[in-house]
Amino acid sequence: QVQLVDSGGGVVQPGRSLKLSCAASGFNFNSYGMHWVRQAPGKGLEWVAFIWADGNNKYYADSVKGRFTISRDSSKNTLYLQMNSLRVEDTAVYYCAGDPPQSGYAFDNWGQGTLVTVSS
Amino acid sequence: QSVLTQPPSASGTPGQRVYISCSGSSSNIGTNTVNWYQNLPGTAPKLLIYKDSQRPSRVPDRFSGSKSGTSASLAISGLQSEDEADYYCAAWDGSLNSVVFGGGTKLTVL
């Protein structure tokens, strides 16, 4: 069955870095666009970043542009989010989500989420 | 301030039909398709409707979506207590080059 497993979250001080991972299985990872979406405590969903299936194009929310980098490793069926210069406002549960071909950017499967807490 | 606008709350009694609206602009809903998600507390969101009105096979036909111009709507018929959740609309925004979400609507089943 389709599965996305998020990992790498934790508590980190402002200004430090963290790298999230999302291990995919049960579907053709190399044909899916992949996204990161976050949800701050008690808040709504916020899209963070998107990478094409072939990895050639990447897009970021203005709130993370220049600080976060999305990448993927097709040999490991894994999606990554490198987060640098973390801020208190980056505190959230981070979800990876799969975007199948021709779906109109619909996230048909989600990871379970990993909590990132930025605090001194 | 979300790019897509949803009412913060909605409610209905069991068996009723409720509607949740989502308003955008020409750069998002006006030119791209809308997707809807259900988010139960403490769990990952689930896709309810994609491409304005298409329903994944696992989603009951009580859920339906529609779009007109720069607005979209999610309808839930035969309301059940298990439908109590937060609902989000989303679409690609061609001006921002990003996926934009609505602020979410909290549905209460009275």
Side-chain angles (χ1 to χ4, degrees):
Chain A
Q1 71 281 16
V2 174
Q3 193 171 21
L4 294 171
V5 179
D6 299 316
S7 62
V11 180
V12 61
Q13 292 179 327
R16 303 299 290 264
S17 299
L18 205 59
K19 187 172 185 177
L20 306 183
S21 299
C22 167
S25 61
F27 66 102
N28 186 358
F29 178 72
N30 295 330
S31 69
Y32 272 53
M34 295 297 296
H35 301 253
W36 287 99
V37 177
R38 68 185 181 183
Q39 187 169 33
K43 301 296 184 182
L45 301 176
E46 179 188 14
W47 174 82
V48 174
F50 166 44
I51 185 168
W52 280 20
D54 60 13
N56 285 342
N57 284 281
K58 305 173 185 181
Y59 302 88
Y60 299 93
D62 285 345
S63 57
V64 307
K65 202 171 291 182
R67 300 187 299 121
F68 289 13
T69 301
I70 189 171
S71 62
R72 62 194 298 159
D73 186 334
S74 59
S75 68
K76 296 182 178 179
N77 279 5
T78 301
L79 176 74
Y80 302 100
L81 185 68
Q82 176 67 46
M83 305 185 295
N84 299 332
S85 303
L86 281 161
R87 304 168 180 168
V88 171
E89 55 265 35
D90 295 320
T91 295
V93 174
Y94 285 72
Y95 298 99
C96 67
D99 172 3
Q102 309 302 322
S103 73
Y105 301 96
F107 307 155
D108 70 342
N109 283 285
W110 298 64
Q112 85 286 3
T114 186
L115 176 62
V116 173
T117 303
V118 184
S119 173
S120 53
Chain B
Q1 197 80 342
S2 302
V3 174
L4 304 183
T5 301
Q6 296 180 236
S9 63
S11 63
T13 57
Q16 265 191 332
R17 185 180 182 96
V18 297
Y19 294 89
I20 297 174
S21 62
C22 176
S23 178
S25 68
S26 58
S27 62
N28 41 67
I29 294 178
T31 50
N32 297 296
T33 56
V34 177
N35 307 306
W36 289 91
Y37 301 91
Q38 180 189 58
N39 190 202
L40 296 165
T43 68
K46 292 181 181 177
L47 180 65
L48 271 183
I49 298 289
Y50 66 100
K51 285 189 168 182
D52 300 336
S53 60
Q54 303 301 303
R55 197 174 50 249
S57 57
R58 56 170 174 73
V59 174
D61 59 6
R62 301 187 296 106
F63 295 89
S64 62
S66 63
K67 188 179 83 172
S68 178
T70 59
S71 293
S73 181
L74 174 70
I76 309 172
S77 61
L79 200 61
Q80 300 178 4
S81 58
E82 67 207 51
D83 298 332
E84 194 161 279
D86 295 324
Y87 292 84
Y88 294 88
C89 59
W92 179 260
D93 189 298
S95 293
L96 298 174
N97 273 337
S98 66
V99 172
V100 291
F101 279 97
T105 298
K106 184 176 182 62
L107 175 64
T108 301
V109 181
L110 302 169

